[in-house]
Amino acid sequence: MSIITGNQNKAERPLMMGNEAIARGALEAGVKVVAAYPGTPSSEIPKTLGDVADEMGLYVEWSTNEKVSLEVAAAAAYSGLRALCTMKQVGVNVASDFLLHLAEYGSRTGLVLVTCEDPGSLSSTNEGDSRPYSKMMEFPLIEPGDIQEAKDMTRWAFELSETVRNVVMLRSVTRMSHASGNVTVGDLPETDVKADFQCNGEFFDQMTGPVMTLPSTAPAQRLRQHEGLAKAIACFEESPFNTYTGPDRPGLLIITSSAATFYCREAIAILGIEERVGLLKLGTTWPLPPRLIEKHLATADRVLIVEEGTPFLEDNLKALFADRIETVGPTRFHGRADKTIPSVDELNPDIVMAALAGLLNLPIDHSTADYRQRISAALEGNVPDRAMTFCPGCPHRASFWLLHEALKLDNRRGFISGDIGCYTLGVADCGFRAVKTVAAMGSGVGMASGFGKLRRFGLEQPVIAVCGDSTFFHAAMPGLVNAIHNQADMIMVILDNAGTAMTGFQPHPGIPVGADGKPLPALDIPTICQAMGARVEIADPFQFDAARKTIAELMDDGGGVRVLVLRQACALSPARKGKKEWTVSVDPDKCLGEACGCNRLCTRVFKCPGLIWDPKQKEMRIDEFVCVGCGVCAQVCPQNAIRVEKVVNS
Amino acid sequence: MNQANLKHDPYNLIITGVGGQGNVLASRMVGDMLSRLGFDITIGETFGASQRGGSVMSHLRISQKGSYSPQIPMGRAHMIVSLEPAETLRVLRAYGNRQVKVITNMRPVRSISVISGEQTYPAPETIMGWIRDFSESAWFLDTTETAVRLGNPIFGNVMLVGALARTGELPLDRDTFEAVVRSRMPASKVPVNMEAFDAGGAMIEDGRARITNPFYRDLMQACGQIG
Ligand code: SF4
Ligand code: SF4
């Protein structure tokens, strides 16, 4: 029995990751359908639920993209089942087209959208903030302030959704989703609900009529939506997830939400200012409960707003204040707007401490200053950087090596239009800096489709788009359709490593298995591309000679869209992990290091982490603990100094 | 419920290393052990880049009073457990202080800047010197060799958990560890984990592993703390 499905002794308080706590909260609410596209830091929620799908009688799927996942979840919620949809911040943009319609129509059964955001871009190409969607599209937003609340608020979110008859957004951040804490669990319900989609009722009946938004119905539906928001406000005024600690009349009131709550509590404790500062922690952040806010604003004449992301709470609090200035009295607001809190990057306890020390004129603790200065001086320039790179044995390193070589040989300043996945690292040294554009999922091929139409305006550079197999299904297919139909001149390379590697190797529609581990039919990418009308070739990036030949041919085959599927499993895939295909060693007679004329191609340019350049002995070696035995470096070495020997698996 | 007192509350423990070394699992094991003893645990993890050779770090906050921020404030670590020596330095620079204790595995994992020759990796003696200078006491271990003998370098993480337990800094004991392993892994994996745990502990017992800072007094004097 896992901690997720156990009906534990309440005193036990198992340690759960925020995402596990969210999954547990959904189970306690009796969720039946879970749909998601993986994205760090959200992926562990559907993963956790997928693992217990059988035991708990759930339907869990990894959907093609976030919009589809929300549509799947909504279908369940219209059929009487509680449904959960999870994604990372960028996914909300993908889902937003459907989300607007969903919010206007509303929901029948509990429908919760969890968005896990990444302040500080710890594992993203941007810092997004999805909270404004809740205001823009008018549905409730809640934000847990610790791991226990991540569980409790998820459970409650389903009830709230049914009260307001609309989707509820629960927003987490990396430091909540990927933090762990003790959780007191509740009971798991015995649920035995049947799905039934009622659609023969009156046109306007939200519970039995057809599900649609039309020009003629929109105003009435929006009024219905506003009634839901009014109900949400009534709940929020009384919500136990909005808490206050501190004196009755604090000199300074902090208003905070989400993971920033931790930082505020810690900063107050370290500075020892519990008697001077009040902390209003909001769990319900849109719509704001006006009476509660008014009551607290009236107690202090200075307010510091501490939140992750954009000044969403800050702006909304100020707007609410403007309405109530007569009862609340003069108040000064500090936060991101006046730079008391830096306007970008994630927060931490030190940032909040600095803000508080500044506002309250507190002396900064200098006792550690000397230590900090000494250690910084000693270590300055001496701790080697640890930039992200492709894993040892990653097929992308080999693929980019081949593509980079081909573009260089071609000599027309060709470039790669990149996409989102591990291969985004193609912008860095490990991809030989061949990737020159990166934007949203699927934008690599969409932009290449545009570049590929600029020949008539004099653009002579060859254009190669890359995307992964999961990205292909997610958002690259429409871009490829566009390129083929409009006869763009480009090569699309699909880096098929058999899974969504970036987020922890989840399956996608090209993989013959589902979220619960059971078999599903797989869709074949080359066949799809062929059916779309492209010339399609398949190569293995680990077989340099054959792959080189194919790439050269495709580069020569001018005009139109050519697709190359470079197929080799991710180094972390179950198929390859822990299995060496080759035992690799260096022939010291052949490797002459700096003297050999290759200018240390293997370690200076190819840079697989499994290689060691020994500057004292002036020779190359293989790090047997790191090398996964893919054999690629042997093909890189122009001296044939790297020996490979096939591993015979007993 | 736990009766033992913590040396600090919250006790701030950092477990660090490079992606793929089993850092996350080690922090979860320690967290689970202390959680079973009734402490409030918060763990903050940075692992977005973990699989791609980046630095990884887990912050553990251990308390009898409640949950703390998943990020330890700068300069406030009590113990740093490290699977990789250069990472020890990186963490010391941000979270170290005069009282911090350090356990570090001394086998380097070279980053690509080192592989390519753009940067050099400091010599082990140099690293040990810095760690001694900037900690109250330090233990230098070579877990990798022993872990490989146990069948996989990944066991280095369990050995460091064993080493941490043997220092007596935190109320971690063998039975609790065994209970945690049993709850997390198939029964067949229990013996090798126990062996790794014990091997780590033995490295602390072995006087050679422990190197108490000979320069500490000088540093303290220089900083005006004593004498
Ligand atoms: S996870 Fe897979 S695809 Fe990503 S860098 Fe590692 S080997 Fe390459
Ligand atoms: S065989 Fe060469 S390229 Fe492949 S993982 Fe080992 S060192 Fe790296």
Side-chain angles (χ1 to χ4, degrees):
Chain A
M1 194 167 49
S2 81
I3 54 165
I4 299 305
T5 54
N7 261 328
Q8 270 95 349
N9 164 5
K10 301 277 178 294
E12 235 171 62
R13 300 169 65 239
L15 199 55
M16 288 187 191
M17 191 196 284
N19 280 346
E20 291 172 333
I22 290 171
R24 171 76 194 198
L27 288 177
E28 289 181 8
V31 73
K32 283 287 156 208
V33 170
V34 181
Y37 184 79
T40 314
S42 72
S43 316
E44 295 83 4
I45 307 168
K47 161 86 174 79
T48 306
L49 291 168
D51 289 348
V52 300
D54 260 5
E55 185 185 342
M56 301 302 296
L58 312 180
Y59 173 69
V60 183
E61 77 166 39
W62 289 116
S63 310
T64 338
N65 66 36
E66 294 84 354
K67 177 168 174 279
V68 175
S69 70
L70 189 59
E71 288 156 347
V72 168
Y78 291 135
S79 308
L81 304 182
R82 288 188 167 185
L84 177 73
C85 180
T86 73
M87 55 192 67
K88 72 180 292 178
Q89 78 273 9
V90 280
V92 185
N93 304 323
V94 177
S96 63
D97 199 359
F98 176 68
L99 184 58
L100 177 63
H101 296 270
L102 168 64
E104 265 197 38
Y105 186 86
S107 179
R108 293 178 181 172
T109 321
L111 175 57
V112 177
L113 168 62
V114 175
T115 156
C116 300
E117 311 194 347
D118 194 17
S121 304
L122 299 168
S123 53
S124 309
T125 49
N126 61 66
E127 289 191 289
D129 191 334
S130 312
R131 293 176 300 166
Y133 279 113
S134 67
K135 187 177 178 182
M136 181 165 90
M137 299 182 178
E138 304 186 305
F139 51 80
L141 166 74
I142 58 176
E143 299 183 68
D146 62 32
I147 311 294
Q148 180 69 49
E149 284 194 354
K151 200 268 301 169
D152 294 339
M153 289 181 81
T154 306
R155 179 182 182 152
W156 171 63
F158 286 90
E159 282 157 36
L160 177 65
S161 167
E162 282 165 16
T163 304
V164 304
R165 294 243 183 106
N166 210 333
V167 63
V168 168
M169 180 188 264
L170 182 138
R171 182 226 197 192
S172 175
V173 292
T174 304
R175 302 289 176 188
M176 182 68 60
S177 282
H178 283 178
S180 304
N182 303 93
V183 176
T184 305
V185 298
D187 293 328
L188 295 177
E190 298 282 335
T191 52
D192 187 19
V193 280
K194 249 186 102 204
D196 183 39
F197 177 47
Q198 303 208 17
C199 52
N200 296 325
E202 287 303 313
F203 218 78
F204 256 135
D205 189 323
Q206 192 184 4
M207 301 306 278
T208 60
V211 174
M212 59 182 70
T213 49
L214 297 171
S216 58
T217 58
Q221 278 169 325
R222 292 201 51 226
L223 281 178
R224 197 162 71 188
Q225 203 180 347
H226 291 182
E227 281 164 25
L229 287 179
K231 284 187 192 159
I233 290 179
C235 294
F236 292 179
E237 293 282 12
E238 310 298 328
S239 169
F241 299 116
N242 299 323
T243 57
Y244 176 78
T245 42
D248 290 345
R249 298 204 66 82
L252 176 72
L253 174 68
I254 302 177
I255 303 183
T256 191
S257 68
S258 188
T261 313
F262 286 121
Y263 313 147
C264 295
R265 278 199 212 121
E266 179 122 28
I268 291 171
I270 289 177
L271 295 172
I273 49 175
E274 291 90 344
E275 302 303 318
R276 298 174 63 186
V277 172
L279 182 64
L280 176 62
K281 173 256 164 202
L282 293 177
T284 68
T285 39
W286 183 261
L288 285 171
R291 277 191 289 116
L292 178 84
I293 305 289
E294 182 182 316
K295 184 182 103 194
H296 285 283
L297 287 184
T299 64
D301 45 19
R302 281 206 297 174
V303 175
L304 170 66
I305 297 131
V306 186
E307 63 187 313
E308 289 288 16
T310 59
F312 176 77
L313 189 56
E314 188 171 337
D315 291 349
N316 293 332
L317 283 166
K318 285 177 183 167
L320 213 152
F321 166 73
D323 255 357
R324 274 148 218 272
I325 190 159
E326 270 151 32
T327 39
V328 168
T331 306
R332 280 199 60 189
F333 289 89
H334 303 283
R336 300 230 194 235
D338 70 349
K339 300 264 193 295
T340 305
I341 302 281
S343 59
V344 294
D345 215 346
E346 78 164 337
L347 302 176
N348 58 43
D350 298 283
I351 291 176
V352 180
M353 257 190 280
L356 285 171
L359 289 178
L360 298 174
N361 267 320
L362 299 171
I364 300 168
D365 170 18
H366 287 290
S367 70
T368 57
D370 190 68
Y371 177 94
R372 299 295 295 280
Q373 196 213 321
R374 278 161 171 267
I375 191 163
S376 295
L379 298 184
E380 180 59 34
N382 287 317
V383 184
D385 301 331
R386 207 173 284 282
M388 280 204 275
T389 182
F390 295 129
C391 302
C394 175
H396 298 330
R397 183 181 287 102
S399 296
F400 280 124
W401 180 263
L402 292 165
L403 295 172
H404 169 70
E405 258 190 341
L407 287 170
K408 228 168 99 186
L409 260 175
D410 174 88
N411 208 22
R412 285 179 293 161
R413 293 167 42 247
F415 61 92
I416 297 179
S417 186
D419 223 302
I420 307 293
C422 286
Y423 45 85
T424 304
L425 280 177
V427 298
D429 280 359
C430 60
F432 318 104
R433 303 195 189 195
V435 170
K436 301 297 184 191
T437 78
V438 174
M441 292 282 284
S443 295
V445 60
M447 287 183 68
S449 169
F451 285 123
K453 288 306 291 180
L454 301 181
R455 299 277 174 252
R456 71 179 73 179
F457 302 110
L459 186 99
E460 286 170 2
Q461 295 151 276
V463 188
I464 298 180
V466 298
C467 82
D469 36 346
S470 191
T471 306
F472 175 79
F473 292 111
H474 178 287
M477 281 173 67
L480 183 60
V481 167
N482 192 69
I484 295 171
H485 177 69
N486 291 304
Q487 294 181 294
D489 176 8
M490 59 164 282
I491 298 175
M492 169 150 203
V493 178
I494 297 159
L495 304 169
D496 181 359
N497 61 0
T500 319
M502 176 91 176
T503 48
F505 218 72
Q506 294 80 7
H508 57 64
I511 307 293
V513 65
D516 55 2
K518 300 227 177 75
L520 286 178
L523 280 69
D524 184 56
I525 294 175
T527 313
I528 293 170
C529 296
Q530 228 145 27
M532 283 182 182
R535 171 180 173 190
V536 181
E537 300 291 339
I538 305 173
D540 177 353
F542 284 0
Q543 304 296 328
F544 274 15
D545 289 343
R548 268 194 195 115
K549 224 178 104 222
T550 312
I551 294 172
E553 256 175 50
L554 289 175
M555 298 252 328
D556 286 346
D557 179 7
V561 176
R562 292 137 281 162
V563 171
L564 171 62
V565 180
L566 285 177
R567 202 174 252 176
Q568 178 59 246
C570 167
L572 303 181
S573 76
R576 281 189 59 209
K577 208 175 171 182
K579 291 173 199 136
K580 284 196 183 193
E581 195 178 345
W582 304 95
T583 308
V584 187
S585 59
V586 181
D587 183 339
D589 295 337
K590 285 193 181 156
C591 174
L592 304 177
E594 257 150 13
C596 104
C598 75
N599 195 11
R600 295 199 288 112
L601 196 64
C602 55
T603 46
R604 200 181 52 81
V605 187
F606 188 65
K607 288 188 205 172
C608 173
L611 307 168
I612 299 174
W613 171 248
D614 184 335
K616 284 205 198 89
Q617 304 294 321
K618 296 216 181 305
E619 63 183 25
M620 212 283 280
R621 282 187 285 129
I622 302 287
D623 187 333
E624 56 177 311
F625 296 137
V626 178
C627 169
V628 301
C630 72
V632 167
C633 53
Q635 300 174 69
V636 171
C637 173
Q639 300 294 332
N640 292 323
I642 303 177
R643 289 181 300 216
V644 290
E645 204 182 311
K646 192 101 189 160
V647 175
V648 208
N649 291 313
S650 49
Chain B
M1 274 307 251
N2 151 75
Q3 301 302 323
N5 274 322
L6 292 168
K7 291 188 176 168
H8 309 275
D9 197 331
Y11 190 98
N12 298 330
L13 167 67
I14 297 181
I15 302 184
T16 186
V18 175
Q21 288 191 305
N23 177 294
V24 171
L25 183 63
S27 65
R28 288 224 128 200
M29 282 176 154
V30 173
D32 270 357
M33 288 167 79
L34 292 160
S35 182
R36 273 165 196 262
L37 297 172
F39 293 103
D40 283 303
I41 307 297
T42 314
I43 310 180
E45 281 153 0
T46 336
F47 61 79
S50 62
Q51 291 172 336
R52 287 135 207 114
S55 309
V56 288
M57 179 165 50
S58 301
H59 288 194
L60 281 88
R61 318 296 303 275
I62 304 144
S63 173
Q64 272 155 324
K65 297 187 294 202
S67 60
Y68 279 81
S69 154
Q71 295 191 75
I72 294 172
M74 304 298 259
R76 286 173 192 270
H78 298 114
M79 167 70 84
I80 297 169
V81 174
S82 175
L83 293 144
E84 205 281 342
E87 294 312 309
T88 314
L89 299 177
R90 210 187 304 283
V91 172
L92 262 182
R93 185 162 60 190
Y95 298 97
N97 52 67
R98 287 182 211 106
Q99 290 78 33
V100 74
K101 298 185 167 80
V102 176
I103 304 174
T104 184
N105 175 30
M106 283 306 290
R107 187 168 204 288
V109 176
R110 291 162 184 81
S111 63
I112 49 166
S113 63
V114 173
I115 291 167
S116 65
E118 289 148 36
Q119 290 183 306
T120 45
Y121 199 100
E125 309 77 52
T126 318
I127 292 185
M128 285 161 77
W130 281 322
I131 293 174
R132 284 192 202 109
D133 284 357
F134 294 105
S135 65
E136 183 199 87
S137 50
W139 292 267
F140 302 98
L141 274 48
D142 188 358
T143 61
T144 309
E145 298 300 313
T146 317
V148 168
R149 244 189 296 122
L150 290 175
N152 192 335
I154 195 81
F155 290 121
N157 65 355
V158 175
M159 295 174 69
L160 281 165
V161 174
L164 174 64
R166 195 61 67 91
T167 62
E169 272 289 301
L170 284 163
L172 299 165
D173 63 85
R174 194 178 189 279
D175 291 347
T176 314
F177 177 77
E178 187 166 348
V180 165
V181 173
R182 283 194 189 283
S183 74
R184 282 192 170 270
M185 291 176 192
S188 61
K189 293 263 193 267
V190 176
V192 66
N193 275 284
M194 297 314 294
E195 211 182 317
F197 181 87
D198 292 340
M203 288 181 175
I204 297 292
E205 290 273 279
D206 177 355
R208 282 167 303 164
R210 175 161 188 154
I211 303 165
T212 306
N213 182 5
F215 307 118
Y216 183 53
R217 205 183 157 78
D218 301 349
L219 182 77
M220 294 268 279
Q221 267 166 352
C223 296
Q225 290 296 298
I226 52 170

